[in-house]
Amino acid sequence: MTVSRVLNNHPSIRPGTRQRVLDAIEELNFRPNSAARALATQRNRRIGVLIDASSAYGPSSTLRGIELAAGEEDYSVTSVSVPSEEQGGMQSAVDHLTAQGVDALCVIAPRSSSLATLRQLDIGLPVLAIKAEGDPNFLTTAVDQQQGAILVVDHLAELGHRDILHLAGPLDWFDARARERAFHARIREWKLRERPIVVGDWSADFAYDYAASLKRRPEYTAIFAANDEMALGLIHGFAERGIAVPDELSIVGFDDLPLTAHFLPPLTTVRQDFHLLGTKVVAALISAAEGREVPRRTRLPVELKVRQSSARPRAAS
């Protein structure tokens, strides 16, 4: 009983007793028996993850963050990818995970349609969705997308930009919609020019084609691209048009991909901490599985990484 309490960080154990148990565990190279512990606690120490659009950087990085955080808590992760176009895919994925004996479920479903389907299912487990907005059906944890867009607008406006284009992601994605709404709200607060957005598909190819196909040089002096891949496509496309970044046009991205510091020019972008996100998700799901109180909504801060792709516009120099 004493060993069990030490392993589970029970507060009633005296420090001296705790240390003697830990010393014995190290000397004997003791490892808890997961099967026995599951019988004792009626939990399998396993988190299920439903992931939509698993090839995209945000969802895949979120899954990796959850896997790392779960391992630190001696939990395993079973994930199932759900093709968005597959009829009945969400139900079969939930059935697969519950058959694995998961204690709680995380949903990395960036599209609103995916969560709409999930709301119709009777899951019977704690469920957490990765989305910045609150949800009446699920716990939610996410990076603060609105704050990221605000940081971008503030940065460009403080440099002197008064005409900024937003190249958005697909607006059926929660993150794209949150960034687009926050962008427009902040533009109005700064009393900057409001122009229609361009809706992309997250890909560098789309952004490259957009930039390369413009009939004339743009009037706007900066672009906020909703992710770094589209920002890279813009830089490439404008370079082929003879439009230099940032001398003639500033570009800011979102995500802080591992290679953004090595773009030409290095990209100003919003950094999301996916490891911290995974830690918060795992902590919330474990607490919910153990019947403890959990905040319904958690938002994590972002950081603007200022590099050479953004500068003062020529008119403001």
Side-chain angles (χ1 to χ4, degrees):
M1 179 64 72
T2 301
V3 173
S4 175
R5 287 179 174 176
V6 170
L7 290 175
N8 288 285
N9 295 314
H10 198 282
S12 67
I13 300 297
R14 295 176 180 174
T17 302
R18 183 185 303 277
Q19 190 58 53
R20 286 195 296 275
V21 171
L22 292 175
D23 291 343
I25 287 173
E26 183 176 357
E27 181 179 349
L28 297 172
N29 195 29
F30 171 76
R31 293 292 180 272
N33 184 299
S34 58
R37 183 162 55 186
L39 287 173
T41 63
Q42 296 184 336
R43 296 196 313 274
N44 292 315
R45 302 185 73 83
R46 180 177 294 134
I47 293 170
V49 178
L50 286 168
I51 180 167
D52 182 11
S54 57
S55 61
Y57 177 75
S60 63
S61 299
T62 300
L63 175 60
R64 179 59 176 156
I66 291 170
E67 290 172 338
L68 290 173
E72 293 169 0
E73 297 295 331
D74 197 24
Y75 268 69
S76 62
V77 173
T78 301
S79 63
V80 176
S81 182
V82 184
S84 58
E85 69 274 5
E86 180 182 336
Q87 294 296 326
M90 189 66 76
Q91 179 67 69
S92 62
V94 170
D95 291 344
H96 174 77
L97 290 174
T98 54
Q100 300 293 314
V102 299
D103 301 314
L105 186 64
C106 174
V107 186
I108 308 174
R111 298 182 178 92
S112 55
S113 57
S114 300
L115 279 189
T117 301
L118 193 65
R119 289 189 185 96
Q120 301 173 16
L121 306 181
D122 183 14
I123 298 174
L125 293 171
V127 179
L128 182 149
I130 305 295
K131 61 192 292 274
E133 301 170 350
D135 193 287
N137 300 93
F138 314 119
L139 303 172
T140 63
T141 301
V143 171
D144 193 335
Q145 306 297 318
Q146 292 91 338
Q147 182 193 22
I150 289 169
L151 289 175
V152 171
V153 174
D154 288 354
H155 169 66
L156 292 172
E158 288 164 1
L159 286 173
H161 293 278
R162 294 297 176 262
D163 191 349
I164 306 169
L165 174 73
H166 181 39
L167 174 54
L171 295 182
D172 63 332
W173 285 56
F174 291 114
D175 288 352
R177 191 166 64 224
R179 294 169 197 174
E180 183 268 336
R181 289 176 176 174
F183 169 82
H184 275 114
R186 200 62 165 181
I187 286 288
R188 287 190 288 272
E189 290 178 14
W190 274 94
K191 296 182 172 55
L192 306 182
R193 174 173 176 175
E194 292 190 60
R195 61 168 59 246
I197 66 170
V198 176
V199 179
D201 63 2
W202 297 125
S203 74
D205 287 342
F206 177 93
Y208 168 82
D209 290 340
Y210 167 78
S213 64
L214 289 177
K215 302 301 182 185
R216 58 181 180 175
R217 300 178 82 83
E219 296 179 358
Y220 45 80
T221 61
I223 300 179
F224 168 33
N227 75 338
D228 291 342
E229 291 183 35
M230 291 197 295
L232 176 60
L234 289 173
I235 293 171
H236 183 192
F238 283 121
E240 292 202 352
R241 291 288 309 279
I243 300 173
V245 176
D247 293 344
E248 298 174 83
L249 183 69
S250 288
I251 293 178
V252 179
F254 204 110
D255 282 337
D256 196 24
L257 292 172
L259 295 177
T260 50
H262 303 288
F263 285 10
L264 290 176
L267 184 67
T268 296
T269 185
V270 177
R271 180 177 183 272
Q272 303 191 76
D273 190 337
F274 291 106
H275 184 267
L276 177 60
L277 176 60
T279 299
K280 294 294 186 180
V281 167
V282 169
L285 288 175
I286 291 175
S287 294
E290 294 177 349
R292 289 182 275 131
E293 187 175 351
V294 184
R296 295 291 306 174
R297 180 189 185 191
T298 302
R299 288 197 292 181
L300 308 180
V302 294
E303 177 186 3
L304 184 68
K305 306 292 289 187
V306 178
R307 302 190 179 104
Q308 287 92 328
S309 69
S310 57
R312 293 178 63 82
R314 282 185 172 179
S317 298

